[in-house]
Amino acid sequence: MSGELKAGEAIPSVRAMARSLHISILTVQKAYSTLQEDGFIETTAGKGCYVSAQNQDFYLEEQQKKIEEKFVEAIGLARSSGIKLDKLLDLLTLLYEEDQE
């Protein structure tokens, strides 16, 4: 969900993951099964497990929720400080475009 792994990227085999985390193969197998049921990974017999492209919408929705929480906080601060919406929008636009130049 953090976006660290990209769609189509291979993830370690069940055995390799269990070894690296020093946990039971059954624990990793159950976790991978849950991830597959939820659409986060795809498993291809004989080839391994890969990050699913299908769940990109879920990832984007989670990111949007985080942004909305920050906006609610910023709006509350702006209102309590007497900053009008047009000034807040100008500031957001300026900050958003600043990194793209």
Side-chain angles (χ1 to χ4, degrees):
M1 284 182 28
S2 70
E4 185 176 331
L5 300 175
K6 304 298 177 212
E9 189 173 332
I11 60 173
S13 70
V14 171
R15 289 177 192 263
M17 182 66 79
R19 220 175 306 129
S20 71
L21 297 175
H22 305 290
I23 60 175
S24 167
I25 290 174
L26 295 175
T27 302
V28 175
Q29 193 170 33
K30 183 174 180 176
Y32 276 26
S33 177
T34 301
L35 288 169
Q36 185 170 347
E37 288 171 13
D38 291 344
F40 288 103
I41 64 172
E42 299 171 1
T43 304
T44 305
K47 292 189 177 183
C49 298
Y50 299 87
V51 176
S52 176
Q54 296 173 349
N55 223 309
Q56 186 68 16
D57 289 340
F58 180 80
Y59 168 73
L60 292 175
E61 179 69 25
E62 288 299 309
Q63 294 303 97
Q64 186 172 326
K65 284 181 191 176
K66 290 178 187 177
I67 292 167
E68 286 173 7
E69 290 172 9
K70 301 288 185 184
F71 279 167
V72 167
E73 185 179 332
I75 289 167
L77 183 58
R79 283 183 177 152
S80 67
S81 302
I83 298 172
K84 300 290 182 191
L85 178 59
D86 61 332
K87 295 293 182 188
L88 193 58
L89 289 171
D90 288 344
L91 179 59
L92 177 62
T93 302
L94 179 69
L95 292 171
Y96 188 83
E97 292 175 348
E98 186 176 82
D99 288 342
Q100 296 188 3
E101 292 177 359

